[in-house]
PDB file of all heavy atoms in Angstrom:
ATOM      1  N   THR A1056     -23.638  28.640  22.281  1.00 97.00           N
ATOM      2  CA  THR A1056     -22.855  29.533  23.214  1.00 97.00           C
ATOM      3  C   THR A1056     -23.725  30.617  23.577  1.00 97.00           C
ATOM      4  O   THR A1056     -25.027  30.541  23.455  1.00 97.00           O
ATOM      5  CB  THR A1056     -21.626  30.083  22.356  1.00 97.00           C
ATOM      6  OG1 THR A1056     -20.724  30.797  23.151  1.00 97.00           O
ATOM      7  CG2 THR A1056     -22.062  31.020  21.177  1.00 97.00           C
ATOM      8  N   LYS A1057     -23.177  31.662  24.254  1.00 96.00           N
ATOM      9  CA  LYS A1057     -23.997  32.837  24.640  1.00 96.00           C
ATOM     10  C   LYS A1057     -23.314  34.179  24.217  1.00 96.00           C
ATOM     11  O   LYS A1057     -22.165  34.312  24.401  1.00 96.00           O
ATOM     12  CB  LYS A1057     -24.195  32.848  26.268  1.00 96.00           C
ATOM     13  CG  LYS A1057     -25.142  33.797  26.731  1.00 96.00           C
ATOM     14  CD  LYS A1057     -25.533  33.527  28.142  1.00 96.00           C
ATOM     15  CE  LYS A1057     -26.573  34.644  28.643  1.00 96.00           C
ATOM     16  NZ  LYS A1057     -26.824  34.508  30.071  1.00 96.00           N
ATOM     17  N   ASP A1058     -24.150  35.033  23.626  1.00 96.00           N
ATOM     18  CA  ASP A1058     -23.667  36.242  23.076  1.00 96.00           C
ATOM     19  C   ASP A1058     -23.412  37.266  24.213  1.00 96.00           C
ATOM     20  O   ASP A1058     -24.322  38.077  24.531  1.00 96.00           O
ATOM     21  CB  ASP A1058     -24.623  36.783  22.036  1.00 96.00           C
ATOM     22  CG  ASP A1058     -24.020  37.928  21.290  1.00 96.00           C
ATOM     23  OD1 ASP A1058     -22.853  38.187  21.123  1.00 96.00           O
ATOM     24  OD2 ASP A1058     -24.905  38.829  21.092  1.00 96.00           O
ATOM     25  N   GLU A1059     -22.272  37.258  24.845  1.00 95.00           N
ATOM     26  CA  GLU A1059     -22.004  38.219  25.873  1.00 95.00           C
ATOM     27  C   GLU A1059     -20.364  38.240  25.823  1.00 95.00           C
ATOM     28  O   GLU A1059     -19.658  37.519  25.408  1.00 95.00           O
ATOM     29  CB  GLU A1059     -22.445  37.823  27.192  1.00 95.00           C
ATOM     30  CG  GLU A1059     -21.999  36.401  27.653  1.00 95.00           C
ATOM     31  CD  GLU A1059     -22.617  36.058  29.063  1.00 95.00           C
ATOM     32  OE1 GLU A1059     -23.479  36.766  29.504  1.00 95.00           O
ATOM     33  OE2 GLU A1059     -22.320  34.926  29.551  1.00 95.00           O
ATOM     34  N   PRO A1060     -19.901  39.440  26.401  1.00 91.00           N
ATOM     35  CA  PRO A1060     -18.458  39.650  26.391  1.00 91.00           C
ATOM     36  C   PRO A1060     -17.705  38.543  27.148  1.00 91.00           C
ATOM     37  O   PRO A1060     -18.323  37.933  28.056  1.00 91.00           O
ATOM     38  CB  PRO A1060     -18.334  41.005  27.064  1.00 91.00           C
ATOM     39  CG  PRO A1060     -19.709  41.681  26.924  1.00 91.00           C
ATOM     40  CD  PRO A1060     -20.615  40.585  26.871  1.00 91.00           C
ATOM     41  N   ASP A1061     -16.440  38.356  26.870  1.00 88.00           N
ATOM     42  CA  ASP A1061     -15.799  37.293  27.524  1.00 88.00           C
ATOM     43  C   ASP A1061     -15.734  37.332  28.945  1.00 88.00           C
ATOM     44  O   ASP A1061     -15.777  36.310  29.677  1.00 88.00           O
ATOM     45  CB  ASP A1061     -14.305  37.227  26.830  1.00 88.00           C
ATOM     46  CG  ASP A1061     -14.191  36.703  25.472  1.00 88.00           C
ATOM     47  OD1 ASP A1061     -15.242  36.324  24.958  1.00 88.00           O
ATOM     48  OD2 ASP A1061     -13.098  36.672  24.909  1.00 88.00           O
ATOM     49  N   ALA A1062     -15.551  38.541  29.499  1.00 92.00           N
ATOM     50  CA  ALA A1062     -15.490  38.797  30.931  1.00 92.00           C
ATOM     51  C   ALA A1062     -16.788  38.304  31.631  1.00 92.00           C
ATOM     52  O   ALA A1062     -16.673  37.629  32.727  1.00 92.00           O
ATOM     53  CB  ALA A1062     -15.238  40.196  31.330  1.00 92.00           C
ATOM     54  N   ALA A1063     -17.860  38.565  31.053  1.00 94.00           N
ATOM     55  CA  ALA A1063     -19.202  38.128  31.665  1.00 94.00           C
ATOM     56  C   ALA A1063     -19.376  36.703  31.452  1.00 94.00           C
ATOM     57  O   ALA A1063     -19.772  35.881  32.264  1.00 94.00           O
ATOM     58  CB  ALA A1063     -20.349  38.892  30.936  1.00 94.00           C
ATOM     59  N   PHE A1064     -18.967  36.122  30.255  1.00 96.00           N
ATOM     60  CA  PHE A1064     -19.001  34.721  29.855  1.00 96.00           C
ATOM     61  C   PHE A1064     -18.302  33.952  30.763  1.00 96.00           C
ATOM     62  O   PHE A1064     -18.643  32.914  31.328  1.00 96.00           O
ATOM     63  CB  PHE A1064     -18.555  34.565  28.485  1.00 96.00           C
ATOM     64  CG  PHE A1064     -18.834  33.149  27.890  1.00 96.00           C
ATOM     65  CD1 PHE A1064     -20.095  32.704  27.507  1.00 96.00           C
ATOM     66  CD2 PHE A1064     -17.756  32.268  27.922  1.00 96.00           C
ATOM     67  CE1 PHE A1064     -20.283  31.446  26.970  1.00 96.00           C
ATOM     68  CE2 PHE A1064     -18.040  30.970  27.343  1.00 96.00           C
ATOM     69  CZ  PHE A1064     -19.281  30.542  26.943  1.00 96.00           C
ATOM     70  N   LEU A1065     -17.028  34.351  31.121  1.00 96.00           N
ATOM     71  CA  LEU A1065     -16.047  33.511  32.102  1.00 96.00           C
ATOM     72  C   LEU A1065     -16.693  33.375  33.448  1.00 96.00           C
ATOM     73  O   LEU A1065     -16.334  32.393  34.157  1.00 96.00           O
ATOM     74  CB  LEU A1065     -14.746  34.267  32.151  1.00 96.00           C
ATOM     75  CG  LEU A1065     -13.874  34.052  30.883  1.00 96.00           C
ATOM     76  CD1 LEU A1065     -12.627  35.008  30.925  1.00 96.00           C
ATOM     77  CD2 LEU A1065     -13.380  32.538  30.851  1.00 96.00           C
ATOM     78  N   ARG A1066     -17.543  34.383  33.961  1.00 94.00           N
ATOM     79  CA  ARG A1066     -18.080  34.265  35.332  1.00 94.00           C
ATOM     80  C   ARG A1066     -18.879  32.970  35.375  1.00 94.00           C
ATOM     81  O   ARG A1066     -19.173  32.357  36.517  1.00 94.00           O
ATOM     82  CB  ARG A1066     -18.975  35.397  35.560  1.00 94.00           C
ATOM     83  CG  ARG A1066     -18.154  36.690  35.934  1.00 94.00           C
ATOM     84  CD  ARG A1066     -18.896  37.701  36.619  1.00 94.00           C
ATOM     85  NE  ARG A1066     -19.813  38.415  35.787  1.00 94.00           N
ATOM     86  CZ  ARG A1066     -19.638  39.534  34.963  1.00 94.00           C
ATOM     87  NH1 ARG A1066     -18.334  39.939  35.081  1.00 94.00           N
ATOM     88  NH2 ARG A1066     -20.423  40.035  34.190  1.00 94.00           N
ATOM     89  N   GLY A1067     -19.375  32.405  34.298  1.00 93.00           N
ATOM     90  CA  GLY A1067     -20.148  31.162  34.307  1.00 93.00           C
ATOM     91  C   GLY A1067     -19.349  29.893  34.666  1.00 93.00           C
ATOM     92  O   GLY A1067     -19.862  28.854  34.927  1.00 93.00           O
ATOM     93  N   PHE A1068     -18.024  30.073  34.789  1.00 96.00           N
ATOM     94  CA  PHE A1068     -17.112  28.960  34.995  1.00 96.00           C
ATOM     95  C   PHE A1068     -16.598  28.946  36.420  1.00 96.00           C
ATOM     96  O   PHE A1068     -15.752  28.112  36.869  1.00 96.00           O
ATOM     97  CB  PHE A1068     -15.845  28.920  34.043  1.00 96.00           C
ATOM     98  CG  PHE A1068     -16.359  28.683  32.656  1.00 96.00           C
ATOM     99  CD1 PHE A1068     -16.657  29.679  31.729  1.00 96.00           C
ATOM    100  CD2 PHE A1068     -16.479  27.325  32.152  1.00 96.00           C
ATOM    101  CE1 PHE A1068     -17.058  29.435  30.468  1.00 96.00           C
ATOM    102  CE2 PHE A1068     -16.929  27.094  30.800  1.00 96.00           C
ATOM    103  CZ  PHE A1068     -17.158  28.256  30.008  1.00 96.00           C
ATOM    104  N   TYR A1069     -17.256  29.798  37.338  1.00 93.00           N
ATOM    105  CA  TYR A1069     -16.874  29.889  38.670  1.00 93.00           C
ATOM    106  C   TYR A1069     -15.405  30.020  38.875  1.00 93.00           C
ATOM    107  O   TYR A1069     -14.660  30.737  38.293  1.00 93.00           O
ATOM    108  CB  TYR A1069     -17.494  28.631  39.508  1.00 93.00           C
ATOM    109  CG  TYR A1069     -18.957  28.508  39.206  1.00 93.00           C
ATOM    110  CD1 TYR A1069     -19.478  27.461  38.489  1.00 93.00           C
ATOM    111  CD2 TYR A1069     -19.832  29.442  39.814  1.00 93.00           C
ATOM    112  CE1 TYR A1069     -20.802  27.311  38.203  1.00 93.00           C
ATOM    113  CE2 TYR A1069     -21.234  29.318  39.507  1.00 93.00           C
ATOM    114  CZ  TYR A1069     -21.760  28.181  38.766  1.00 93.00           C
ATOM    115  OH  TYR A1069     -23.043  28.121  38.505  1.00 93.00           O
ATOM    116  N   GLU A1070     -14.756  29.222  39.911  1.00 95.00           N
ATOM    117  CA  GLU A1070     -13.459  29.323  40.225  1.00 95.00           C
ATOM    118  C   GLU A1070     -12.514  28.778  39.117  1.00 95.00           C
ATOM    119  O   GLU A1070     -11.250  29.047  39.151  1.00 95.00           O
ATOM    120  CB  GLU A1070     -13.094  28.607  41.557  1.00 95.00           C
ATOM    121  CG  GLU A1070     -13.227  27.138  41.469  1.00 95.00           C
ATOM    122  CD  GLU A1070     -14.730  26.622  41.815  1.00 95.00           C
ATOM    123  OE1 GLU A1070     -15.664  27.517  41.959  1.00 95.00           O
ATOM    124  OE2 GLU A1070     -14.843  25.507  41.894  1.00 95.00           O
ATOM    125  N   ALA A1071     -12.967  27.984  38.104  1.00 97.00           N
ATOM    126  CA  ALA A1071     -12.099  27.598  37.049  1.00 97.00           C
ATOM    127  C   ALA A1071     -11.881  28.774  36.063  1.00 97.00           C
ATOM    128  O   ALA A1071     -11.095  28.502  35.039  1.00 97.00           O
ATOM    129  CB  ALA A1071     -12.768  26.388  36.421  1.00 97.00           C
ATOM    130  N   ALA A1072     -12.525  29.872  36.181  1.00 97.00           N
ATOM    131  CA  ALA A1072     -12.476  30.870  35.132  1.00 97.00           C
ATOM    132  C   ALA A1072     -11.009  31.395  34.855  1.00 97.00           C
ATOM    133  O   ALA A1072     -10.655  31.504  33.681  1.00 97.00           O
ATOM    134  CB  ALA A1072     -13.411  32.100  35.477  1.00 97.00           C
ATOM    135  N   PRO A1073     -10.212  31.546  35.786  1.00 97.00           N
ATOM    136  CA  PRO A1073      -8.852  31.889  35.486  1.00 97.00           C
ATOM    137  C   PRO A1073      -8.132  30.885  34.608  1.00 97.00           C
ATOM    138  O   PRO A1073      -7.251  31.230  33.831  1.00 97.00           O
ATOM    139  CB  PRO A1073      -8.182  32.116  36.812  1.00 97.00           C
ATOM    140  CG  PRO A1073      -9.302  32.426  37.795  1.00 97.00           C
ATOM    141  CD  PRO A1073     -10.465  31.542  37.393  1.00 97.00           C
ATOM    142  N   HIS A1074      -8.326  29.688  34.852  1.00 98.00           N
ATOM    143  CA  HIS A1074      -7.770  28.571  34.093  1.00 98.00           C
ATOM    144  C   HIS A1074      -8.201  28.532  32.651  1.00 98.00           C
ATOM    145  O   HIS A1074      -7.447  28.371  31.661  1.00 98.00           O
ATOM    146  CB  HIS A1074      -7.918  27.268  34.711  1.00 98.00           C
ATOM    147  CG  HIS A1074      -7.453  27.150  36.092  1.00 98.00           C
ATOM    148  ND1 HIS A1074      -6.032  27.123  36.370  1.00 98.00           N
ATOM    149  CD2 HIS A1074      -8.098  27.213  37.326  1.00 98.00           C
ATOM    150  CE1 HIS A1074      -5.957  27.039  37.759  1.00 98.00           C
ATOM    151  NE2 HIS A1074      -7.110  27.029  38.328  1.00 98.00           N
ATOM    152  N   ILE A1075      -9.512  28.769  32.432  1.00 97.00           N
ATOM    153  CA  ILE A1075     -10.123  28.691  31.168  1.00 97.00           C
ATOM    154  C   ILE A1075     -10.078  29.837  30.265  1.00 97.00           C
ATOM    155  O   ILE A1075     -10.185  29.902  29.115  1.00 97.00           O
ATOM    156  CB  ILE A1075     -11.692  28.229  31.295  1.00 97.00           C
ATOM    157  CG1 ILE A1075     -11.767  26.758  31.838  1.00 97.00           C
ATOM    158  CG2 ILE A1075     -12.411  28.390  30.079  1.00 97.00           C
ATOM    159  CD1 ILE A1075     -13.052  26.156  31.948  1.00 97.00           C
ATOM    160  N   ALA A1076      -9.735  30.999  30.950  1.00 97.00           N
ATOM    161  CA  ALA A1076      -9.766  32.318  30.316  1.00 97.00           C
ATOM    162  C   ALA A1076      -8.871  32.319  29.148  1.00 97.00           C
ATOM    163  O   ALA A1076      -9.357  32.913  27.999  1.00 97.00           O
ATOM    164  CB  ALA A1076      -9.395  33.442  31.276  1.00 97.00           C
ATOM    165  N   PRO A1077      -7.658  31.865  29.121  1.00 97.00           N
ATOM    166  CA  PRO A1077      -6.800  31.933  27.879  1.00 97.00           C
ATOM    167  C   PRO A1077      -7.444  31.166  26.679  1.00 97.00           C
ATOM    168  O   PRO A1077      -7.333  31.598  25.531  1.00 97.00           O
ATOM    169  CB  PRO A1077      -5.484  31.241  28.318  1.00 97.00           C
ATOM    170  CG  PRO A1077      -5.458  31.409  29.737  1.00 97.00           C
ATOM    171  CD  PRO A1077      -6.842  31.356  30.235  1.00 97.00           C
ATOM    172  N   MET A1078      -8.169  30.013  27.048  1.00 97.00           N
ATOM    173  CA  MET A1078      -8.777  29.206  25.965  1.00 97.00           C
ATOM    174  C   MET A1078     -10.031  29.933  25.350  1.00 97.00           C
ATOM    175  O   MET A1078     -10.188  29.905  24.269  1.00 97.00           O
ATOM    176  CB  MET A1078      -9.200  27.887  26.616  1.00 97.00           C
ATOM    177  CG  MET A1078      -7.955  27.189  27.117  1.00 97.00           C
ATOM    178  SD  MET A1078      -8.290  26.151  28.527  1.00 97.00           S
ATOM    179  CE  MET A1078      -6.706  26.211  29.400  1.00 97.00           C
ATOM    180  N   VAL A1079     -10.870  30.681  26.346  1.00 96.00           N
ATOM    181  CA  VAL A1079     -11.949  31.363  25.738  1.00 96.00           C
ATOM    182  C   VAL A1079     -11.471  32.576  24.952  1.00 96.00           C
ATOM    183  O   VAL A1079     -12.273  33.004  24.051  1.00 96.00           O
ATOM    184  CB  VAL A1079     -12.844  31.803  27.029  1.00 96.00           C
ATOM    185  CG1 VAL A1079     -13.855  32.790  26.610  1.00 96.00           C
ATOM    186  CG2 VAL A1079     -13.538  30.482  27.641  1.00 96.00           C
ATOM    187  N   SER A1080     -10.403  33.135  25.266  1.00 96.00           N
ATOM    188  CA  SER A1080      -9.839  34.196  24.496  1.00 96.00           C
ATOM    189  C   SER A1080      -9.615  33.908  23.067  1.00 96.00           C
ATOM    190  O   SER A1080      -9.681  34.680  22.060  1.00 96.00           O
ATOM    191  CB  SER A1080      -8.640  34.892  25.156  1.00 96.00           C
ATOM    192  OG  SER A1080      -7.471  33.984  24.991  1.00 96.00           O
ATOM    193  N   VAL A1081      -9.352  32.591  22.836  1.00 96.00           N
ATOM    194  CA  VAL A1081      -9.102  32.099  21.462  1.00 96.00           C
ATOM    195  C   VAL A1081     -10.419  31.438  20.962  1.00 96.00           C
ATOM    196  O   VAL A1081     -10.723  31.676  19.709  1.00 96.00           O
ATOM    197  CB  VAL A1081      -7.968  30.931  21.423  1.00 96.00           C
ATOM    198  CG1 VAL A1081      -7.853  30.408  20.074  1.00 96.00           C
ATOM    199  CG2 VAL A1081      -6.704  31.535  22.009  1.00 96.00           C
ATOM    200  N   MET A1082     -11.221  30.865  21.689  1.00 97.00           N
ATOM    201  CA  MET A1082     -12.373  30.140  21.262  1.00 97.00           C
ATOM    202  C   MET A1082     -13.496  30.505  22.130  1.00 97.00           C
ATOM    203  O   MET A1082     -14.056  29.596  22.817  1.00 97.00           O
ATOM    204  CB  MET A1082     -12.140  28.539  21.229  1.00 97.00           C
ATOM    205  CG  MET A1082     -13.152  27.739  20.357  1.00 97.00           C
ATOM    206  SD  MET A1082     -12.941  28.063  18.654  1.00 97.00           S
ATOM    207  CE  MET A1082     -14.327  27.145  17.951  1.00 97.00           C
ATOM    208  N   GLY A1083     -13.911  31.713  22.127  1.00 96.00           N
ATOM    209  CA  GLY A1083     -14.997  32.142  22.916  1.00 96.00           C
ATOM    210  C   GLY A1083     -16.291  32.234  22.027  1.00 96.00           C
ATOM    211  O   GLY A1083     -16.411  31.665  21.071  1.00 96.00           O
ATOM    212  N   PRO A1084     -17.222  32.986  22.689  1.00 96.00           N
ATOM    213  CA  PRO A1084     -18.627  33.128  21.984  1.00 96.00           C
ATOM    214  C   PRO A1084     -18.568  33.452  20.475  1.00 96.00           C
ATOM    215  O   PRO A1084     -19.238  32.811  19.668  1.00 96.00           O
ATOM    216  CB  PRO A1084     -19.384  34.074  22.811  1.00 96.00           C
ATOM    217  CG  PRO A1084     -18.755  33.866  24.149  1.00 96.00           C
ATOM    218  CD  PRO A1084     -17.319  33.618  24.041  1.00 96.00           C
ATOM    219  N   ALA A1085     -17.777  34.440  20.201  1.00 96.00           N
ATOM    220  CA  ALA A1085     -17.770  34.959  18.805  1.00 96.00           C
ATOM    221  C   ALA A1085     -17.104  33.950  17.897  1.00 96.00           C
ATOM    222  O   ALA A1085     -17.587  33.734  16.831  1.00 96.00           O
ATOM    223  CB  ALA A1085     -17.011  36.178  18.710  1.00 96.00           C
ATOM    224  N   ALA A1086     -16.028  33.299  18.397  1.00 97.00           N
ATOM    225  CA  ALA A1086     -15.270  32.224  17.599  1.00 97.00           C
ATOM    226  C   ALA A1086     -16.116  31.096  17.424  1.00 97.00           C
ATOM    227  O   ALA A1086     -16.118  30.327  16.320  1.00 97.00           O
ATOM    228  CB  ALA A1086     -13.902  31.955  18.182  1.00 97.00           C
ATOM    229  N   VAL A1087     -16.872  30.591  18.432  1.00 97.00           N
ATOM    230  CA  VAL A1087     -17.819  29.492  18.326  1.00 97.00           C
ATOM    231  C   VAL A1087     -18.877  29.755  17.303  1.00 97.00           C
ATOM    232  O   VAL A1087     -19.185  28.930  16.520  1.00 97.00           O
ATOM    233  CB  VAL A1087     -18.336  29.114  19.695  1.00 97.00           C
ATOM    234  CG1 VAL A1087     -19.464  28.084  19.523  1.00 97.00           C
ATOM    235  CG2 VAL A1087     -17.248  28.564  20.591  1.00 97.00           C
ATOM    236  N   THR A1088     -19.358  31.004  17.282  1.00 97.00           N
ATOM    237  CA  THR A1088     -20.497  31.308  16.360  1.00 97.00           C
ATOM    238  C   THR A1088     -19.893  31.309  14.848  1.00 97.00           C
ATOM    239  O   THR A1088     -20.483  30.615  13.985  1.00 97.00           O
ATOM    240  CB  THR A1088     -20.915  32.690  16.660  1.00 97.00           C
ATOM    241  OG1 THR A1088     -21.548  32.710  17.983  1.00 97.00           O
ATOM    242  CG2 THR A1088     -21.975  33.113  15.627  1.00 97.00           C
ATOM    243  N   ARG A1089     -18.610  31.769  14.692  1.00 97.00           N
ATOM    244  CA  ARG A1089     -18.034  31.742  13.366  1.00 97.00           C
ATOM    245  C   ARG A1089     -17.716  30.143  12.933  1.00 97.00           C
ATOM    246  O   ARG A1089     -17.971  29.782  11.797  1.00 97.00           O
ATOM    247  CB  ARG A1089     -16.770  32.486  13.316  1.00 97.00           C
ATOM    248  CG  ARG A1089     -16.916  34.011  13.438  1.00 97.00           C
ATOM    249  CD  ARG A1089     -15.739  34.667  13.079  1.00 97.00           C
ATOM    250  NE  ARG A1089     -14.520  34.364  13.965  1.00 97.00           N
ATOM    251  CZ  ARG A1089     -14.215  35.077  15.162  1.00 97.00           C
ATOM    252  NH1 ARG A1089     -15.103  36.056  15.450  1.00 97.00           N
ATOM    253  NH2 ARG A1089     -13.277  34.713  15.839  1.00 97.00           N
ATOM    254  N   PHE A1090     -17.365  29.406  13.935  1.00 98.00           N
ATOM    255  CA  PHE A1090     -17.163  27.976  13.633  1.00 98.00           C
ATOM    256  C   PHE A1090     -18.345  27.326  13.035  1.00 98.00           C
ATOM    257  O   PHE A1090     -18.376  26.554  12.098  1.00 98.00           O
ATOM    258  CB  PHE A1090     -16.584  27.253  14.890  1.00 98.00           C
ATOM    259  CG  PHE A1090     -16.619  25.831  14.789  1.00 98.00           C
ATOM    260  CD1 PHE A1090     -15.632  25.140  14.070  1.00 98.00           C
ATOM    261  CD2 PHE A1090     -17.537  25.079  15.482  1.00 98.00           C
ATOM    262  CE1 PHE A1090     -15.614  23.767  14.030  1.00 98.00           C
ATOM    263  CE2 PHE A1090     -17.568  23.677  15.490  1.00 98.00           C
ATOM    264  CZ  PHE A1090     -16.625  22.996  14.698  1.00 98.00           C
ATOM    265  N   VAL A1091     -19.481  27.472  13.804  1.00 97.00           N
ATOM    266  CA  VAL A1091     -20.704  26.884  13.396  1.00 97.00           C
ATOM    267  C   VAL A1091     -21.239  27.411  12.044  1.00 97.00           C
ATOM    268  O   VAL A1091     -21.622  26.623  11.202  1.00 97.00           O
ATOM    269  CB  VAL A1091     -21.802  27.136  14.493  1.00 97.00           C
ATOM    270  CG1 VAL A1091     -23.203  26.690  13.988  1.00 97.00           C
ATOM    271  CG2 VAL A1091     -21.442  26.339  15.742  1.00 97.00           C
ATOM    272  N   GLU A1092     -21.023  28.731  11.760  1.00 97.00           N
ATOM    273  CA  GLU A1092     -21.433  29.223  10.547  1.00 97.00           C
ATOM    274  C   GLU A1092     -20.578  28.753   9.525  1.00 97.00           C
ATOM    275  O   GLU A1092     -21.027  28.527   8.310  1.00 97.00           O
ATOM    276  CB  GLU A1092     -21.459  30.729  10.618  1.00 97.00           C
ATOM    277  CG  GLU A1092     -22.577  31.444  11.489  1.00 97.00           C
ATOM    278  CD  GLU A1092     -22.564  32.826  11.577  1.00 97.00           C
ATOM    279  OE1 GLU A1092     -21.319  33.363  11.597  1.00 97.00           O
ATOM    280  OE2 GLU A1092     -23.613  33.493  11.720  1.00 97.00           O
ATOM    281  N   GLY A1093     -19.323  28.449   9.706  1.00 97.00           N
ATOM    282  CA  GLY A1093     -18.371  28.039   8.788  1.00 97.00           C
ATOM    283  C   GLY A1093     -18.747  26.576   8.406  1.00 97.00           C
ATOM    284  O   GLY A1093     -18.232  26.012   7.336  1.00 97.00           O
ATOM    285  N   LEU A1094     -19.593  25.862   9.151  1.00 97.00           N
ATOM    286  CA  LEU A1094     -19.979  24.537   8.823  1.00 97.00           C
ATOM    287  C   LEU A1094     -21.323  24.627   8.066  1.00 97.00           C
ATOM    288  O   LEU A1094     -22.035  23.599   7.923  1.00 97.00           O
ATOM    289  CB  LEU A1094     -20.131  23.676  10.094  1.00 97.00           C
ATOM    290  CG  LEU A1094     -18.781  23.120  10.661  1.00 97.00           C
ATOM    291  CD1 LEU A1094     -19.030  22.640  12.102  1.00 97.00           C
ATOM    292  CD2 LEU A1094     -18.054  22.274   9.763  1.00 97.00           C
ATOM    293  N   GLY A1095     -21.687  25.777   7.599  1.00 97.00           N
ATOM    294  CA  GLY A1095     -22.890  25.961   6.886  1.00 97.00           C
ATOM    295  C   GLY A1095     -24.220  25.949   7.678  1.00 97.00           C
ATOM    296  O   GLY A1095     -25.369  25.647   7.180  1.00 97.00           O
ATOM    297  N   GLN A1096     -24.018  26.223   8.996  1.00 96.00           N
ATOM    298  CA  GLN A1096     -25.152  26.319   9.889  1.00 96.00           C
ATOM    299  C   GLN A1096     -25.414  27.743  10.446  1.00 96.00           C
ATOM    300  O   GLN A1096     -24.752  28.140  11.343  1.00 96.00           O
ATOM    301  CB  GLN A1096     -25.002  25.373  11.037  1.00 96.00           C
ATOM    302  CG  GLN A1096     -24.758  23.883  10.660  1.00 96.00           C
ATOM    303  CD  GLN A1096     -25.989  23.391   9.929  1.00 96.00           C
ATOM    304  OE1 GLN A1096     -27.170  23.443  10.387  1.00 96.00           O
ATOM    305  NE2 GLN A1096     -25.741  22.804   8.728  1.00 96.00           N
ATOM    306  N   PRO A1097     -26.254  28.523   9.723  1.00 97.00           N
ATOM    307  CA  PRO A1097     -26.611  29.900  10.233  1.00 97.00           C
ATOM    308  C   PRO A1097     -27.113  29.769  11.564  1.00 97.00           C
ATOM    309  O   PRO A1097     -27.743  28.838  12.064  1.00 97.00           O
ATOM    310  CB  PRO A1097     -27.579  30.404   9.215  1.00 97.00           C
ATOM    311  CG  PRO A1097     -28.188  29.203   8.484  1.00 97.00           C
ATOM    312  CD  PRO A1097     -27.086  28.181   8.527  1.00 97.00           C
ATOM    313  N   VAL A1098     -26.929  30.844  12.452  1.00 97.00           N
ATOM    314  CA  VAL A1098     -27.459  30.920  13.838  1.00 97.00           C
ATOM    315  C   VAL A1098     -28.287  32.072  14.068  1.00 97.00           C
ATOM    316  O   VAL A1098     -28.419  32.898  13.228  1.00 97.00           O
ATOM    317  CB  VAL A1098     -26.094  31.022  14.754  1.00 97.00           C
ATOM    318  CG1 VAL A1098     -25.168  29.922  14.489  1.00 97.00           C
ATOM    319  CG2 VAL A1098     -25.448  32.408  14.638  1.00 97.00           C
ATOM    320  N   PHE A1099     -29.018  32.045  15.149  1.00 96.00           N
ATOM    321  CA  PHE A1099     -29.818  33.188  15.692  1.00 96.00           C
ATOM    322  C   PHE A1099     -29.570  33.349  17.106  1.00 96.00           C
ATOM    323  O   PHE A1099     -29.101  32.324  17.812  1.00 96.00           O
ATOM    324  CB  PHE A1099     -31.260  33.034  15.291  1.00 96.00           C
ATOM    325  CG  PHE A1099     -31.933  32.006  16.195  1.00 96.00           C
ATOM    326  CD1 PHE A1099     -32.582  32.382  17.342  1.00 96.00           C
ATOM    327  CD2 PHE A1099     -31.946  30.630  15.675  1.00 96.00           C
ATOM    328  CE1 PHE A1099     -33.204  31.424  18.055  1.00 96.00           C
ATOM    329  CE2 PHE A1099     -32.588  29.675  16.430  1.00 96.00           C
ATOM    330  CZ  PHE A1099     -33.286  30.104  17.645  1.00 96.00           C
ATOM    331  N   ILE A1100     -29.756  34.623  17.647  1.00 96.00           N
ATOM    332  CA  ILE A1100     -29.549  34.861  19.116  1.00 96.00           C
ATOM    333  C   ILE A1100     -30.899  35.065  19.670  1.00 96.00           C
ATOM    334  O   ILE A1100     -31.735  35.819  19.332  1.00 96.00           O
ATOM    335  CB  ILE A1100     -28.780  36.106  19.267  1.00 96.00           C
ATOM    336  CG1 ILE A1100     -27.346  35.876  18.526  1.00 96.00           C
ATOM    337  CG2 ILE A1100     -28.507  36.485  20.770  1.00 96.00           C
ATOM    338  CD1 ILE A1100     -26.512  37.214  18.468  1.00 96.00           C
TER     339      ILE A1100
END
């Protein structure tokens, strides 16, 4: 993932951003990082 606010992150999805926004609000960069760490895989930025 990329460590940036959801609004900036969503710009990477071009015109699909409004459709994906609700999903990223639940599983965005911070949640993905927690998911990976929860599988015993520490991360770095």
